[in-house]
Amino acid sequence: MKEVLSGNEAFARGAYEYGVKVVSSYPGTPSTEITEHVAQYDEIYSEWATNEKVALETVIGASLAGRRAMTCMKHVGLNVAADPLMTVSYTGVNGGLIIVVADDPNMFSSQNEQDSRHYARLAKVPMLEPADSQEAKDFIGIALEVSEKYCTPVLVRSCTRISHSKSVVALKARNTPPIFEPENDIKKWVMVPANARVRHKIVENRLDKLSDCADTGRLTINPVEFRSEEIGIICAGVTYHYVKEAMPEASILKLEMVYPICFEKIKRFAEKVKKLYVVEELDRFIENELKAAGIEVEPLNRSVCGELSVDEVRKLFGKSVREPAFDPRQLPARPPNMCPGCSHRGMFYAIAKLKLFAAGDIGCYTLGLLPPLSAINSTVCMGASIPMAHGMDKATDGALARKSVAVIGDSTFFHTGINGLLNSVYNAGTSTVIILDNSITGMTGHQPNPGTGCTIKGAPTQKINFPKLLEAMGVKNIRTVNPFDPDECIKVLKEETAKEELSVIVTDKPCIFADRSVIKPPFYVDVNNCSGCTICTRLGCPAILWNKEEKRAFIDETLCTGCELCVKVCRFNAIHQRG
Amino acid sequence: MKDINILMIGVGGQGTVLSSDIVCDVALAGDADVKKSEIHGMAQRGGSVVSHVRIGAKVLSPVIPVGEADIVISFENMEFLRYPEYAGKNTSLVVNKYRIYPPSVAGGQETYPAEQTEETKKAFKEVFEIDAMKTATAIGNSKVAGMVMLGKLAALLPFDADLWRTVISKKVPPKTVDMNLAAFNAGYQF
Ligand code: SF4
Ligand code: SF4
């Protein structure tokens, strides 16, 4: 049977067909849907972990126990999991262990554009890169085989154009999953220096073998399509399709294992073509490997920023591209915005009103940076808000702590925020931390987390109680506020930032997707009372519109969720509820 | 089969993603190869959504090259202006008359680019303007406006209308099948 599947659905299907038993991941665009789709297969145990390091360590345990295991993350997630990755390379595996990492060239929804291929070289583990959904599924099988045969974790690299593209996939039944006896082997699994020194040699040896055998035996990957002998192009992943469409005359060597590189095969290919090029997205990874191995590569004037495309490849080889029908113009932007009824909006309104410096974090609430709220002043990585505010506090002997806050969501707090807060408590910080607890991981599409009260499968589970947790951590000033009451938020913010002690303010209203029961009948603006003061439009709620001609606000009732925030800021009693 | 490139553009919540999924399933059921590439950012939060759908005997890149869209379908009145690079001289435009105001327009800082929209339509080979919201509301649910648009798109593609109806019946929530089919039929006859 054939189906049109996204790359992410295909990765999940691969895990199913090739007998994976355990999947543990933390959501991150564009990788999130892999684990969501895995959760639909009852044969696989799946979970949302609190972060990528925990997820990888969980599947290392599953592998040690003798089962096939997989974790999925985005490129910046691999940074968080980098610590166990470097050492699981040394221990090797028992059951097959794969890490799917999804890069985001062009940064459609990421804070940087890093190229995960460097991690394969850094950790000295093989990396496979599929070019479409069929391969996404198939490569899970190949990766598991490589993992077990060579006793290594295997990285499978995706990118937004693989994960969020769809193409035709032939489905098969689930293989009987291989089961290995759990390993109790101290020399292999206890990485003290004496054991690790031995394992390092094994790792180097493994890499040599992998680069030799990559085109023989069971692993018939890295295929060559021989056409003209004038031009030979080496490429990998989705770029293969760009190259094939743009350069149908060229000979192509498609690298399916992008690390370690199979130099023998490339040398044979290079001998048969007059000019050898490497076309790759982001860094000059393959090109530099080839140059270091003494293989001559023709230079291409290619940017290492952003995505490739058929047109970009055509241009690289001096071919013309078609003219667009019309010119790009200056258009009103349609940025993503916090939803109507979002429980973060009121707190951001209060922060902006008090002109506090907000050390932000990664989540829906990062959108608080957009006008008219413009309430976020820094965003670096998951969990950075609390330590950054702490650093600002210490650097200014508390002065900046009186005028700033750290803002973090519940999921991000569990991810890496909790460590930062412990650090502030321990080191007697005096900053103010706001935990915007909306009981869900909103940004990536509403995945449950330890604050939600259910698992990935919707099964009920322990729900973390923030005030109790904070108390146990030694936080003395703990305040819970209603984020839909800006006056209360302003009052509490003033009080807590003034204290020369650490404070944590928790908001406790759910994301409108976490609990649909919070949606109430919509509000409308009574034009007779509206003074045109624009206070409500400064909330940035997408449901509140401005009528230029009449200089009055009005509410799109199809969008309004009845959150009551605008009612609380209107000083003219102009906003009323329907029904 | 002749290759067909369709660029589908909308605003989060308009059903652009579901519609493009349906096109893919119809193409596969119609024995074609198909690929789709999608950027949906944070679609639920009112952002721009764009899907590239490519149908043919053998599709390579999942992204449409510059100037090579055969059909641009814009689920909102101005959104096609955002992707000038994919339309060429031979591109048809299917556009919804319905406007959704971007935040800066809703907030009164910018104006809706109504003139530009009209002006740019002249660059296309042919233009089909559909009042999908009105049609959908007449059928009884504004939410099926996207399905009206899809009906018009279907009429321009070489697949049997019944094939579309079968796929739609499978893809939409069971309770909404009749409503969606009515919307599809209305669009198909537009
Ligand atoms: S998804 Fe939830 S948290 Fe995110 S912007 Fe919307 S309401 Fe707010
Ligand atoms: S009550 Fe006001 S702030 Fe809340 S969703 Fe409706 S219009 Fe927006």
Side-chain angles (χ1 to χ4, degrees), chain A residues 161 164-167 241-242 245 310-311 314 322 324-326 328-329 332-334 336-337 364 442-443 446 545-546 548, chain B residues 11 21 35-38 42 44-45 47 54 61 65-68 76 79 81-82 84 87 100 102 106 108 111 116 120:
Chain A
R161 293 293 181 188
H164 287 177
S165 288
K166 289 198 163 190
S167 58
H241 289 295
Y242 301 153
E245 184 160 342
V310 173
D311 300 298
R314 281 180 183 150
R322 281 208 221 173
F326 56 97
R329 323 227 176 151
R334 246 185 238 284
N337 193 344
C364 281
M443 185 65 132
H446 315 107
L545 312 176
W546 181 247
K548 247 188 177 170
Chain B
V11 175
D21 280 347
K35 279 187 183 168
K36 159 175 123 155
S37 180
E38 199 158 79
M42 283 163 280
Q44 259 149 341
R45 297 157 194 84
R54 307 190 73 191
S61 160
V66 168
E68 292 188 17
E76 194 275 351
E79 280 307 289
L81 293 177
R82 228 177 272 287
I100 299 175
T111 41
Q116 266 188 48
T120 311

Short mmCIF file of all heavy atoms in Angstrom, two decimals, chain A residues 161 164-167 241-242 245 310-311 314 322 324-326 328-329 332-334 336-337 364 442-443 446 545-546 548, chain B residues 11 21 35-38 42 44-45 47 54 61 65-68 76 79 81-82 84 87 100 102 106 108 111 116 120:
data_model
loop_
_atom_site.label_atom_id
_atom_site.label_comp_id
_atom_site.label_asym_id
_atom_site.label_seq_id
_atom_site.Cartn_x
_atom_site.Cartn_y
_atom_site.Cartn_z
N ARG A 161 12.74 20.86 5.04
CA ARG A 161 12.21 20.45 3.74
C ARG A 161 12.03 18.94 3.61
O ARG A 161 11.49 18.45 2.63
CB ARG A 161 13.09 20.96 2.61
CG ARG A 161 13.10 22.45 2.48
CD ARG A 161 11.75 23.01 2.03
NE ARG A 161 11.82 24.45 1.89
CZ ARG A 161 10.78 25.24 1.66
NH1 ARG A 161 9.57 24.72 1.53
NH2 ARG A 161 10.94 26.53 1.55
N HIS A 164 8.87 18.51 6.87
CA HIS A 164 7.58 19.12 6.55
C HIS A 164 7.25 19.06 5.07
O HIS A 164 6.47 19.86 4.57
CB HIS A 164 7.54 20.56 7.08
CG HIS A 164 7.42 20.63 8.58
ND1 HIS A 164 7.42 21.79 9.28
CD2 HIS A 164 7.30 19.64 9.50
CE1 HIS A 164 7.31 21.54 10.58
NE2 HIS A 164 7.25 20.24 10.74
N SER A 165 7.85 18.13 4.35
CA SER A 165 7.43 17.87 2.97
C SER A 165 6.72 16.53 2.95
O SER A 165 6.94 15.70 3.82
CB SER A 165 8.64 17.82 2.04
OG SER A 165 9.16 19.10 1.85
N LYS A 166 5.90 16.33 1.93
CA LYS A 166 5.24 15.04 1.79
C LYS A 166 5.62 14.42 0.47
O LYS A 166 5.79 15.13 -0.53
CB LYS A 166 3.72 15.21 1.82
CG LYS A 166 3.18 15.57 3.19
CD LYS A 166 1.69 15.32 3.29
CE LYS A 166 1.28 15.30 4.75
NZ LYS A 166 -0.09 14.82 4.95
N SER A 167 5.75 13.10 0.45
CA SER A 167 5.90 12.39 -0.82
C SER A 167 5.43 10.95 -0.62
O SER A 167 5.09 10.55 0.49
CB SER A 167 7.35 12.46 -1.30
OG SER A 167 8.24 11.93 -0.35
N HIS A 241 17.59 16.29 -4.86
CA HIS A 241 16.47 16.55 -5.77
C HIS A 241 16.60 17.90 -6.45
O HIS A 241 16.22 18.06 -7.60
CB HIS A 241 15.14 16.42 -5.03
CG HIS A 241 14.82 15.00 -4.67
ND1 HIS A 241 14.59 14.03 -5.62
CD2 HIS A 241 14.73 14.39 -3.47
CE1 HIS A 241 14.36 12.87 -5.00
NE2 HIS A 241 14.44 13.07 -3.70
N TYR A 242 17.12 18.88 -5.72
CA TYR A 242 17.35 20.19 -6.34
C TYR A 242 18.36 20.03 -7.48
O TYR A 242 18.19 20.56 -8.57
CB TYR A 242 17.91 21.20 -5.32
CG TYR A 242 17.05 21.47 -4.11
CD1 TYR A 242 17.63 21.88 -2.90
CD2 TYR A 242 15.66 21.36 -4.16
CE1 TYR A 242 16.85 22.15 -1.79
CE2 TYR A 242 14.88 21.63 -3.04
CZ TYR A 242 15.49 22.01 -1.85
OH TYR A 242 14.73 22.28 -0.74
N GLU A 245 16.99 18.10 -10.56
CA GLU A 245 16.07 18.88 -11.38
C GLU A 245 16.80 20.01 -12.12
O GLU A 245 16.50 20.28 -13.28
CB GLU A 245 14.96 19.47 -10.49
CG GLU A 245 13.92 20.22 -11.30
CD GLU A 245 12.58 20.39 -10.57
OE1 GLU A 245 12.32 19.67 -9.59
OE2 GLU A 245 11.80 21.25 -11.01
N VAL A 310 16.13 24.60 -6.40
CA VAL A 310 16.44 24.29 -7.80
C VAL A 310 17.07 25.54 -8.46
O VAL A 310 18.07 25.45 -9.16
CB VAL A 310 15.17 23.86 -8.56
CG1 VAL A 310 15.46 23.69 -10.04
CG2 VAL A 310 14.63 22.56 -7.97
N ASP A 311 16.46 26.69 -8.18
CA ASP A 311 16.96 27.92 -8.80
C ASP A 311 18.37 28.26 -8.35
O ASP A 311 19.20 28.67 -9.15
CB ASP A 311 16.03 29.09 -8.46
CG ASP A 311 14.64 28.82 -8.97
OD1 ASP A 311 14.50 28.70 -10.19
OD2 ASP A 311 13.73 28.68 -8.14
N ARG A 314 20.69 26.10 -10.19
CA ARG A 314 20.82 26.56 -11.58
C ARG A 314 21.76 27.75 -11.66
O ARG A 314 22.64 27.81 -12.51
CB ARG A 314 19.44 26.97 -12.12
CG ARG A 314 18.58 25.78 -12.54
CD ARG A 314 17.23 26.24 -13.06
NE ARG A 314 16.39 25.10 -13.40
CZ ARG A 314 15.06 25.09 -13.33
NH1 ARG A 314 14.41 26.18 -12.95
NH2 ARG A 314 14.38 24.01 -13.66
N ARG A 322 13.75 31.45 -14.45
CA ARG A 322 12.63 32.23 -14.98
C ARG A 322 12.40 33.53 -14.22
O ARG A 322 12.80 33.65 -13.07
CB ARG A 322 11.36 31.38 -14.91
CG ARG A 322 11.31 30.38 -16.04
CD ARG A 322 9.87 30.07 -16.36
NE ARG A 322 9.73 28.65 -16.62
CZ ARG A 322 8.56 28.05 -16.78
NH1 ARG A 322 7.43 28.75 -16.68
NH2 ARG A 322 8.50 26.76 -17.03
N PRO A 324 10.06 36.11 -12.26
CA PRO A 324 8.78 36.12 -11.56
C PRO A 324 7.80 37.06 -12.28
O PRO A 324 8.22 37.99 -12.96
CB PRO A 324 9.12 36.66 -10.18
CG PRO A 324 10.47 37.26 -10.29
CD PRO A 324 11.15 36.68 -11.48
N ALA A 325 6.51 36.79 -12.12
CA ALA A 325 5.49 37.55 -12.84
C ALA A 325 5.36 38.97 -12.30
O ALA A 325 4.96 39.87 -13.02
CB ALA A 325 4.15 36.85 -12.76
N PHE A 326 5.64 39.15 -11.03
CA PHE A 326 5.52 40.50 -10.48
C PHE A 326 6.57 40.72 -9.39
O PHE A 326 7.17 39.77 -8.90
CB PHE A 326 4.10 40.77 -9.95
CG PHE A 326 3.60 39.79 -8.92
CD1 PHE A 326 3.71 40.08 -7.57
CD2 PHE A 326 3.00 38.59 -9.31
CE1 PHE A 326 3.23 39.19 -6.62
CE2 PHE A 326 2.52 37.70 -8.36
CZ PHE A 326 2.64 37.99 -7.01
N PRO A 328 8.24 41.81 -5.80
CA PRO A 328 7.84 41.81 -4.40
C PRO A 328 7.53 43.24 -3.96
O PRO A 328 8.16 44.17 -4.42
CB PRO A 328 9.06 41.29 -3.67
CG PRO A 328 10.16 41.24 -4.65
CD PRO A 328 9.62 41.44 -6.00
N ARG A 329 6.52 43.42 -3.14
CA ARG A 329 6.21 44.76 -2.66
C ARG A 329 6.21 44.77 -1.14
O ARG A 329 6.20 43.74 -0.50
CB ARG A 329 4.83 45.19 -3.14
CG ARG A 329 4.54 44.69 -4.53
CD ARG A 329 3.99 45.75 -5.40
NE ARG A 329 3.83 45.20 -6.75
CZ ARG A 329 2.92 45.64 -7.59
NH1 ARG A 329 2.09 46.58 -7.23
NH2 ARG A 329 2.83 45.11 -8.79
N PRO A 332 1.86 44.61 4.46
CA PRO A 332 1.68 44.48 5.91
C PRO A 332 2.03 43.04 6.31
O PRO A 332 1.52 42.09 5.70
CB PRO A 332 0.19 44.76 6.13
CG PRO A 332 -0.30 45.36 4.86
CD PRO A 332 0.61 44.94 3.76
N ALA A 333 2.91 42.87 7.28
CA ALA A 333 3.37 41.53 7.65
C ALA A 333 2.27 40.76 8.36
O ALA A 333 1.32 41.34 8.87
CB ALA A 333 4.59 41.65 8.55
N ARG A 334 2.41 39.45 8.32
CA ARG A 334 1.49 38.60 9.07
C ARG A 334 2.32 37.75 10.02
O ARG A 334 2.48 36.55 9.82
CB ARG A 334 0.71 37.70 8.13
CG ARG A 334 -0.77 38.01 8.11
CD ARG A 334 -1.49 37.03 7.26
NE ARG A 334 -2.22 37.64 6.17
CZ ARG A 334 -3.36 38.29 6.32
NH1 ARG A 334 -3.90 38.41 7.49
NH2 ARG A 334 -3.95 38.82 5.28
N PRO A 336 3.38 35.58 13.27
CA PRO A 336 2.60 34.82 14.24
C PRO A 336 2.41 35.71 15.46
O PRO A 336 3.28 36.51 15.77
CB PRO A 336 3.49 33.63 14.57
CG PRO A 336 4.86 34.01 14.12
CD PRO A 336 4.71 35.02 13.04
N ASN A 337 1.30 35.59 16.12
CA ASN A 337 0.96 36.47 17.22
C ASN A 337 0.43 35.59 18.35
O ASN A 337 -0.12 34.53 18.08
CB ASN A 337 -0.13 37.43 16.73
CG ASN A 337 -0.36 38.59 17.67
OD1 ASN A 337 0.07 38.57 18.82
ND2 ASN A 337 -1.04 39.60 17.17
N CYS A 364 5.91 30.17 23.16
CA CYS A 364 4.94 31.12 22.60
C CYS A 364 5.18 32.52 23.13
O CYS A 364 4.98 33.51 22.43
CB CYS A 364 3.52 30.71 22.98
SG CYS A 364 2.87 29.39 21.98
N GLY A 442 3.13 25.15 24.34
CA GLY A 442 2.29 25.79 23.32
C GLY A 442 2.96 25.91 21.97
O GLY A 442 2.40 25.54 20.93
N MET A 443 4.18 26.41 21.96
CA MET A 443 4.86 26.80 20.73
C MET A 443 4.92 25.70 19.67
O MET A 443 4.75 25.94 18.49
CB MET A 443 6.30 27.21 21.10
CG MET A 443 7.11 27.76 19.97
SD MET A 443 6.38 29.30 19.41
CE MET A 443 7.82 30.35 19.34
N HIS A 446 1.23 22.27 21.25
CA HIS A 446 0.41 21.82 22.39
C HIS A 446 0.66 20.38 22.82
O HIS A 446 -0.25 19.57 22.92
CB HIS A 446 -1.07 22.06 22.08
CG HIS A 446 -1.30 23.41 21.51
ND1 HIS A 446 -1.60 23.62 20.18
CD2 HIS A 446 -1.17 24.65 22.05
CE1 HIS A 446 -1.67 24.91 19.95
NE2 HIS A 446 -1.41 25.56 21.05
N LEU A 545 -9.79 45.12 16.78
CA LEU A 545 -9.43 45.84 15.56
C LEU A 545 -9.69 47.33 15.76
O LEU A 545 -10.43 47.73 16.66
CB LEU A 545 -10.27 45.32 14.39
CG LEU A 545 -10.34 43.80 14.23
CD1 LEU A 545 -11.27 43.42 13.10
CD2 LEU A 545 -8.96 43.22 13.97
N TRP A 546 -9.12 48.12 14.89
CA TRP A 546 -9.24 49.57 15.01
C TRP A 546 -9.94 50.10 13.77
O TRP A 546 -9.52 49.81 12.64
CB TRP A 546 -7.85 50.19 15.17
CG TRP A 546 -7.87 51.68 15.32
CD1 TRP A 546 -7.39 52.60 14.44
CD2 TRP A 546 -8.37 52.42 16.44
NE1 TRP A 546 -7.58 53.86 14.94
CE2 TRP A 546 -8.18 53.79 16.17
CE3 TRP A 546 -8.98 52.05 17.65
CZ2 TRP A 546 -8.57 54.79 17.05
CZ3 TRP A 546 -9.36 53.05 18.52
CH2 TRP A 546 -9.16 54.41 18.22
N LYS A 548 -10.34 53.02 11.59
CA LYS A 548 -9.63 54.28 11.36
C LYS A 548 -10.58 55.46 11.18
O LYS A 548 -10.36 56.53 11.74
CB LYS A 548 -8.79 54.15 10.09
CG LYS A 548 -7.31 54.17 10.35
CD LYS A 548 -6.59 54.25 9.02
CE LYS A 548 -5.11 54.34 9.21
NZ LYS A 548 -4.41 54.16 7.95
N VAL B 11 -3.89 31.95 5.42
CA VAL B 11 -3.58 32.43 6.76
C VAL B 11 -3.95 31.30 7.71
O VAL B 11 -4.91 30.57 7.47
CB VAL B 11 -4.41 33.70 7.06
CG1 VAL B 11 -4.21 34.16 8.50
CG2 VAL B 11 -4.04 34.82 6.11
N ASP B 21 -3.19 18.71 1.68
CA ASP B 21 -3.13 17.26 1.94
C ASP B 21 -4.10 16.51 1.02
O ASP B 21 -3.80 15.43 0.51
CB ASP B 21 -3.49 16.94 3.39
CG ASP B 21 -2.32 17.18 4.34
OD1 ASP B 21 -1.19 17.34 3.83
OD2 ASP B 21 -2.54 17.22 5.56
N LYS B 35 4.57 15.55 -4.66
CA LYS B 35 5.33 16.00 -3.49
C LYS B 35 4.77 17.33 -3.02
O LYS B 35 4.27 18.11 -3.83
CB LYS B 35 6.82 16.18 -3.84
CG LYS B 35 7.59 14.89 -3.83
CD LYS B 35 9.08 15.10 -4.00
CE LYS B 35 9.78 13.74 -4.04
NZ LYS B 35 11.19 13.85 -4.48
N LYS B 36 4.86 17.53 -1.73
CA LYS B 36 4.38 18.79 -1.18
C LYS B 36 5.41 19.30 -0.17
O LYS B 36 6.03 18.51 0.53
CB LYS B 36 3.04 18.53 -0.47
CG LYS B 36 2.67 19.58 0.55
CD LYS B 36 1.29 19.35 1.12
CE LYS B 36 1.37 19.23 2.62
NZ LYS B 36 0.13 19.57 3.32
N SER B 37 5.60 20.59 -0.12
CA SER B 37 6.46 21.16 0.90
C SER B 37 5.71 22.30 1.57
O SER B 37 5.03 23.06 0.90
CB SER B 37 7.75 21.69 0.28
OG SER B 37 8.55 22.24 1.30
N GLU B 38 5.84 22.38 2.87
CA GLU B 38 4.98 23.29 3.58
C GLU B 38 5.75 24.11 4.59
O GLU B 38 6.63 23.61 5.26
CB GLU B 38 3.99 22.44 4.37
CG GLU B 38 2.78 23.16 4.80
CD GLU B 38 1.72 22.11 5.06
OE1 GLU B 38 1.79 21.49 6.13
OE2 GLU B 38 0.90 21.90 4.18
N MET B 42 3.93 29.24 12.72
CA MET B 42 3.05 29.05 13.86
C MET B 42 1.65 29.36 13.38
O MET B 42 1.05 30.37 13.72
CB MET B 42 3.50 29.91 15.01
CG MET B 42 4.71 29.26 15.67
SD MET B 42 5.59 30.38 16.70
CE MET B 42 6.52 31.27 15.49
N GLN B 44 -1.35 28.37 13.75
CA GLN B 44 -2.50 28.59 14.60
C GLN B 44 -2.56 30.02 15.09
O GLN B 44 -3.58 30.50 15.51
CB GLN B 44 -2.43 27.69 15.83
CG GLN B 44 -3.30 26.50 15.68
CD GLN B 44 -2.71 25.34 16.43
OE1 GLN B 44 -1.52 25.33 16.75
NE2 GLN B 44 -3.51 24.37 16.72
N ARG B 45 -1.41 30.69 15.07
CA ARG B 45 -1.35 32.02 15.62
C ARG B 45 -1.44 33.09 14.54
O ARG B 45 -0.86 34.15 14.64
CB ARG B 45 -0.10 32.15 16.47
CG ARG B 45 -0.13 31.19 17.65
CD ARG B 45 1.26 30.88 18.15
NE ARG B 45 1.29 29.73 19.04
CZ ARG B 45 1.34 28.49 18.63
NH1 ARG B 45 1.34 28.22 17.34
NH2 ARG B 45 1.40 27.50 19.50
N GLY B 47 -0.38 33.29 11.45
CA GLY B 47 0.72 33.54 10.51
C GLY B 47 0.36 33.08 9.11
O GLY B 47 -0.68 32.49 8.86
N ARG B 54 3.44 19.65 -6.00
CA ARG B 54 3.93 19.36 -7.35
C ARG B 54 3.44 17.97 -7.76
O ARG B 54 3.65 16.99 -7.05
CB ARG B 54 5.46 19.42 -7.40
CG ARG B 54 6.02 20.72 -6.86
CD ARG B 54 7.50 20.85 -7.15
NE ARG B 54 7.75 21.14 -8.56
CZ ARG B 54 8.95 21.09 -9.13
NH1 ARG B 54 10.01 20.73 -8.43
NH2 ARG B 54 9.09 21.38 -10.41
N SER B 61 12.30 18.00 -6.88
CA SER B 61 12.29 18.94 -5.74
C SER B 61 10.88 19.11 -5.18
O SER B 61 9.92 19.22 -5.93
CB SER B 61 12.81 20.30 -6.22
OG SER B 61 12.39 21.30 -5.32
N PRO B 65 10.19 25.78 -8.47
CA PRO B 65 11.19 26.76 -8.88
C PRO B 65 10.54 28.11 -9.26
O PRO B 65 9.34 28.18 -9.52
CB PRO B 65 11.85 26.13 -10.11
CG PRO B 65 11.51 24.68 -10.04
CD PRO B 65 10.16 24.63 -9.39
N VAL B 66 11.37 29.14 -9.27
CA VAL B 66 10.90 30.50 -9.59
C VAL B 66 10.12 30.54 -10.90
O VAL B 66 10.55 29.98 -11.91
CB VAL B 66 12.12 31.45 -9.69
CG1 VAL B 66 11.73 32.79 -10.29
CG2 VAL B 66 12.72 31.66 -8.31
N GLY B 67 8.98 31.18 -10.87
CA GLY B 67 8.19 31.40 -12.09
C GLY B 67 7.49 30.17 -12.63
O GLY B 67 6.89 30.20 -13.69
N GLU B 68 7.54 29.04 -11.92
CA GLU B 68 7.03 27.80 -12.49
C GLU B 68 5.72 27.29 -11.89
O GLU B 68 5.31 26.16 -12.13
CB GLU B 68 8.11 26.71 -12.44
CG GLU B 68 9.27 27.03 -13.36
CD GLU B 68 10.28 25.89 -13.50
OE1 GLU B 68 9.95 24.74 -13.16
OE2 GLU B 68 11.40 26.17 -13.96
N GLU B 76 -6.85 33.83 0.90
CA GLU B 76 -7.16 35.16 1.43
C GLU B 76 -6.86 36.13 0.30
O GLU B 76 -6.03 35.86 -0.57
CB GLU B 76 -6.31 35.42 2.67
CG GLU B 76 -6.75 36.60 3.52
CD GLU B 76 -6.19 37.93 3.05
OE1 GLU B 76 -5.31 37.95 2.17
OE2 GLU B 76 -6.64 38.96 3.55
N GLU B 79 -2.94 37.55 0.14
CA GLU B 79 -1.77 36.75 0.51
C GLU B 79 -0.87 36.35 -0.66
O GLU B 79 0.32 36.17 -0.50
CB GLU B 79 -2.19 35.52 1.31
CG GLU B 79 -2.46 35.82 2.77
CD GLU B 79 -1.32 36.54 3.47
OE1 GLU B 79 -0.28 35.92 3.70
OE2 GLU B 79 -1.45 37.74 3.75
N LEU B 81 0.25 38.08 -2.84
CA LEU B 81 1.26 39.12 -3.05
C LEU B 81 2.57 38.81 -2.33
O LEU B 81 3.62 39.32 -2.67
CB LEU B 81 0.75 40.47 -2.53
CG LEU B 81 -0.42 41.12 -3.27
CD1 LEU B 81 -0.82 42.40 -2.55
CD2 LEU B 81 -0.05 41.42 -4.71
N ARG B 82 2.48 37.94 -1.33
CA ARG B 82 3.65 37.63 -0.52
C ARG B 82 4.63 36.71 -1.22
O ARG B 82 5.78 36.58 -0.80
CB ARG B 82 3.18 36.97 0.79
CG ARG B 82 3.80 37.55 2.02
CD ARG B 82 3.24 36.91 3.26
NE ARG B 82 2.05 37.59 3.73
CZ ARG B 82 2.06 38.78 4.33
NH1 ARG B 82 3.19 39.39 4.53
NH2 ARG B 82 0.94 39.34 4.72
N PRO B 84 5.73 36.48 -4.73
CA PRO B 84 5.78 36.87 -6.14
C PRO B 84 6.66 35.95 -6.97
O PRO B 84 6.42 35.75 -8.16
CB PRO B 84 6.38 38.29 -6.10
CG PRO B 84 7.15 38.34 -4.84
CD PRO B 84 6.40 37.46 -3.87
N ALA B 87 5.11 32.77 -9.27
CA ALA B 87 4.20 32.94 -10.41
C ALA B 87 4.95 33.45 -11.63
O ALA B 87 5.89 34.24 -11.51
CB ALA B 87 3.10 33.93 -10.02
N ILE B 100 -8.62 39.03 5.38
CA ILE B 100 -8.32 38.91 6.81
C ILE B 100 -7.27 39.98 7.10
O ILE B 100 -6.22 40.01 6.45
CB ILE B 100 -7.78 37.51 7.16
CG1 ILE B 100 -8.84 36.45 6.83
CG2 ILE B 100 -7.39 37.42 8.64
CD1 ILE B 100 -8.38 35.03 7.03
N PRO B 102 -4.23 41.87 8.50
CA PRO B 102 -3.01 41.64 9.27
C PRO B 102 -3.01 42.56 10.50
O PRO B 102 -3.68 43.59 10.47
CB PRO B 102 -1.88 42.04 8.31
CG PRO B 102 -2.50 42.10 6.96
CD PRO B 102 -3.95 42.40 7.16
N ALA B 106 -5.20 45.86 11.26
CA ALA B 106 -6.23 45.84 12.30
C ALA B 106 -5.97 46.92 13.34
O ALA B 106 -6.89 47.53 13.86
CB ALA B 106 -6.27 44.47 12.97
N GLY B 108 -4.55 49.73 12.74
CA GLY B 108 -4.67 51.05 12.14
C GLY B 108 -3.36 51.68 11.69
O GLY B 108 -3.35 52.79 11.18
N THR B 111 -2.48 50.19 5.88
CA THR B 111 -3.77 49.96 5.21
C THR B 111 -3.72 48.65 4.43
O THR B 111 -2.65 48.20 4.01
CB THR B 111 -4.11 51.09 4.23
OG1 THR B 111 -2.92 51.45 3.53
CG2 THR B 111 -4.69 52.29 4.94
N GLN B 116 -2.99 47.42 -4.75
CA GLN B 116 -1.91 46.53 -5.19
C GLN B 116 -2.46 45.17 -5.60
O GLN B 116 -2.03 44.58 -6.57
CB GLN B 116 -0.97 46.26 -4.03
CG GLN B 116 0.22 47.17 -3.95
CD GLN B 116 1.15 46.65 -2.85
OE1 GLN B 116 1.45 45.47 -2.79
NE2 GLN B 116 1.55 47.56 -1.99
N THR B 120 -1.96 43.73 -9.26
CA THR B 120 -1.10 42.56 -9.49
C THR B 120 -1.85 41.43 -10.18
O THR B 120 -1.25 40.62 -10.86
CB THR B 120 -0.53 42.09 -8.14
OG1 THR B 120 0.02 43.21 -7.47
CG2 THR B 120 0.55 41.06 -8.35
#
